[in-house]
Amino acid sequence: MNLQDVILTPVVTEKSQDLETIGEKSKKGTRMVKYTVKVHVDANKTLIKEAFKKIFKVTPSSVNVQVYKGKIKRFRNMPAPRPHWKKAVVTFRDGASIDFAKEA
């Protein structure tokens, strides 16, 4: 898999925006920032870390991944499945700033 295809889109919700802007103070006094992105379904934590290193030139300290199963919805009385997708929360200890619009 190409590293350019790993990161798809940023997840824009109120909770993810709070994680980006506020950040948390760790015990050492460094600022932690978390970015939430939608990633390829086949991507794992190491691929996501390498993609951030290559594309944005920053090194994440940790990556957490969640898998969302697609629901069965109805369209004109016929079942239509929604696709599965994967979300990654990437943590930076140095307070890194990433501009997704600039890299797109």
Side-chain angles (χ1 to χ4, degrees), residues 29-47:
T30 58
R31 187 168 159 250
M32 289 182 8
V33 179
K34 296 182 180 184
Y35 287 98
T36 308
V37 292
K38 193 174 188 179
V39 295
H40 195 273
V41 178
D42 296 332
N44 56 14
K45 290 182 179 185
T46 55
L47 272 177

Side-chain angles (χ1 to χ4, degrees), residues 4 51-52 54-57 97-104:
Q4 298 288 337
F52 268 92
K54 182 181 177 190
I55 297 170
F56 298 110
K57 313 271 190 296
S97 176
I98 295 176
D99 187 15
F100 288 105
K102 185 176 117 180
E103 297 295 328

